[in-house]
Amino acid sequence: MSNHRHSVTDMSREQSLTPLLRQAFRPMFLLGALYSVVAMALWGMMLSGHLVLNVYANVMFWHQHEMIFGFVAAIIVGFLLTAVQNWTGTRATHGASLLILALVWMLGRVLMLFGGSLPPLLVATVDLIFLPLAAVFFGHIILKAEQVRNLFFVPILLLLTISNGIMHAGVILNQFQFVHYGSMNAVWLVTLVMSVVSGRVLPMFTANGTNTPKVQPLVWLDRAALGSIWLIFVLQFLLLKPLLAPSLLSALYAIAALLNFARLIRLKMWITWRVPLLWSLHIAVAFIPIGLALFALRYAGFAVSISTGVHALTAGAMGIMILSMMARVSLGHSGRLLQPKVIMTIAFALVILAAVSRVFLTWLLPGFALQGYYFAIIAWVVAYVFYIVVYTPILTAPRADGRPG
């Protein structure tokens, strides 16, 4: 009788809570998608000289910082604080705690956009609160459930915070090398997270979505593929890369590319062509070995800029994977069938074209680099606007199956 009263009370509380604050994916996906559209559109306008804003530090810093620590960080936190409820069976961050987390993130974005005249230490302090706060919420649930395996994500969030702090230190101390070092740390950390998460879910998603047997993992290949990215991150983070010969670095990146490509190709991407939620995710993961291969070419002496390699991992792997995963998670965790609207197929195609344009058009046809930038920006903005239009009614409404969350 007592348990029944508690469940009735819990259900009553759930129904009284605005749907947007019932699960972390709801506000963080919506806010993150909105911000990516705004940030990318503003970047295009500033790049073309049509707009001047008094952003924190400078325009280039603002763009690279905000796409990682504004946009990507919001989606990672939304995903982790949603997935942790499935992993542990414990109610994840919601209600007032989730509202505070979202407001902290929003305040950071406002200060980064308009804080050019504010004390850098103030902007940095506010911006640095978000990820540790998310780590506390996430870690509390994991420790309560005694799931040590998933505690792995707490140090990842804290290492991202350190990388963010290093970027801000570069601004405060006027040291560009700190900015570059912090941003590269973050790129490889997020790449590592993408590799871990995709390795866990992609075999199951592919099997379920295509009604084929699940491809069983090769333990040695999984460990070698992830280990290669771990090694790249450690060399980056510990500042050891300058101590290695370019030929050795090229070999390391090439081996990492081959291992991660082999890990992906075993899942038979070609059988997913009828399922947009699958082929978009496969293509996103494919940009990880593409990015690794571009770095291998760079260290081998080919004319590949750091920016080209980085954008394969950011505009490519991150941008496509985030759109695909948001489209999937937003349906699944709102009690709906995994059948996105046709317009999302167009959105997936556009964000893929944006990545191809930013990475390959600007690299292989440098005379059209500026046009490549603008096309990539427009395609990205339209793709994410499609997500916002389609999913805002879903993210702001109760679950379709009547369950809490």
Side-chain angles (χ1 to χ4, degrees):
M1 189 68 175
S2 175
N3 288 339
H4 176 69
R5 265 200 307 269
H6 280 305
S7 66
V8 171
T9 302
D10 291 343
M11 184 63 73
S12 177
R13 286 176 182 167
E14 190 74 32
Q15 290 174 345
S16 68
L17 188 63
T18 177
L20 195 59
L21 296 178
R22 293 182 187 179
Q23 281 272 43
F25 78 92
R26 292 173 176 273
M28 299 319 301
F29 284 10
L30 184 55
L31 289 170
L34 281 166
Y35 189 62
S36 83
V37 168
V38 172
M40 197 64 81
L42 291 178
W43 167 241
M45 293 169 72
M46 289 188 281
L47 191 65
S48 63
H50 288 89
L51 181 67
V52 177
L53 289 175
N54 189 23
V55 298
Y56 173 80
N58 58 67
V59 171
M60 186 62 72
F61 176 93
W62 176 80
H63 171 65
Q64 67 182 99
H65 179 277
E66 288 303 274
M67 292 311 292
I68 292 289
F69 292 107
F71 166 57
V72 174
I75 307 305
I76 289 176
V77 167
F79 174 79
L80 288 178
L81 288 179
T82 300
V84 74
Q85 183 163 310
N86 278 9
W87 298 340
T88 65
T90 303
R91 188 72 170 97
T93 308
H94 65 286
S97 299
L98 182 54
L99 177 60
I100 290 169
L101 186 67
L103 288 174
V104 166
W105 177 86
M106 290 172 66
L107 182 58
R109 309 293 57 82
V110 170
L111 292 184
M112 290 295 302
L113 182 57
F114 300 109
S117 301
L118 295 174
L121 193 58
L122 170 65
V123 179
T125 300
V126 173
D127 180 53
L128 286 166
I129 294 171
F130 174 67
L131 286 171
L133 184 59
V136 169
F137 290 154
F138 180 85
H140 173 72
I141 299 166
I142 290 293
L143 291 173
K144 188 176 178 182
E146 299 181 354
Q147 282 199 357
V148 178
R149 177 193 181 210
N150 289 315
L151 205 57
F152 152 83
F153 290 104
V154 171
I156 290 289
L157 291 173
L158 296 180
L159 283 169
L160 277 172
T161 303
I162 291 169
S163 301
N164 192 9
I166 291 169
M167 287 192 74
H168 282 293
V171 173
I172 294 168
L173 301 174
N174 196 28
Q175 296 292 326
F176 170 76
Q177 64 269 30
F178 286 11
V179 173
H180 177 72
Y181 169 59
S183 66
M184 290 303 296
N185 286 347
V187 167
W188 288 115
L189 267 174
V190 176
T191 300
L192 181 61
V193 170
M194 290 190 295
S195 300
V196 170
V197 171
S198 63
R200 287 188 185 184
V201 303
L202 199 54
M204 178 183 63
F205 287 175
T206 302
N208 293 345
T210 59
N211 293 313
T212 56
K214 180 183 174 183
V215 175
Q216 295 304 312
L218 293 176
V219 176
W220 71 266
L221 179 59
D222 283 359
R223 288 178 178 174
L226 290 176
S228 65
I229 298 178
W230 264 115
L231 180 56
I232 289 168
F233 169 70
V234 169
L235 292 174
Q236 162 67 34
F237 191 75
L238 297 181
L239 297 171
L240 296 176
K241 282 169 64 177
L243 303 180
L244 301 179
S247 58
L248 189 58
L249 285 171
S250 179
L252 170 59
Y253 282 102
I255 291 168
L258 289 172
L259 288 169
N260 281 275
F261 178 72
R263 188 184 187 215
L264 174 63
I265 206 68
R266 292 186 68 246
L267 302 181
K268 304 173 185 174
M269 182 190 298
W270 53 90
I271 68 175
T272 69
W273 68 277
R274 292 178 182 272
V275 189
L277 282 179
L278 284 179
W279 56 251
S280 58
L281 199 50
H282 277 258
I283 291 172
V285 177
F287 267 93
I288 295 176
I290 288 171
L292 290 164
L294 287 169
F295 276 100
L297 290 173
R298 172 178 172 77
Y299 285 109
F302 289 86
V304 180
S305 68
I306 291 176
S307 179
T308 297
V310 164
H311 278 86
L313 299 173
T314 53
M318 295 178 204
I320 302 166
M321 185 179 291
I322 283 173
L323 189 63
S324 181
M325 287 295 283
M326 286 198 308
R328 184 185 196 93
V329 171
S330 299
L331 291 174
H333 284 273
S334 64
R336 290 165 172 82
L337 295 176
L338 297 178
Q339 296 174 353
K341 293 184 182 297
V342 174
I343 196 172
M344 288 308 298
T345 303
I346 300 171
F348 297 148
L350 282 171
V351 78
I352 291 166
L353 286 174
V356 169
S357 177
R358 179 58 185 85
V359 175
F360 294 106
L361 183 62
T362 58
W363 169 41
L364 299 174
L365 298 171
F368 294 92
L370 207 54
Q371 290 90 332
Y373 293 154
Y374 294 145
F375 176 81
I377 289 168
I378 292 168
W380 176 292
V381 167
V382 175
Y384 275 86
V385 165
F386 284 170
Y387 172 83
I388 293 163
V389 170
V390 171
Y391 282 90
T392 295
I394 294 172
L395 296 171
T396 55
R399 284 182 63 107
D401 57 11
R403 292 170 54 195

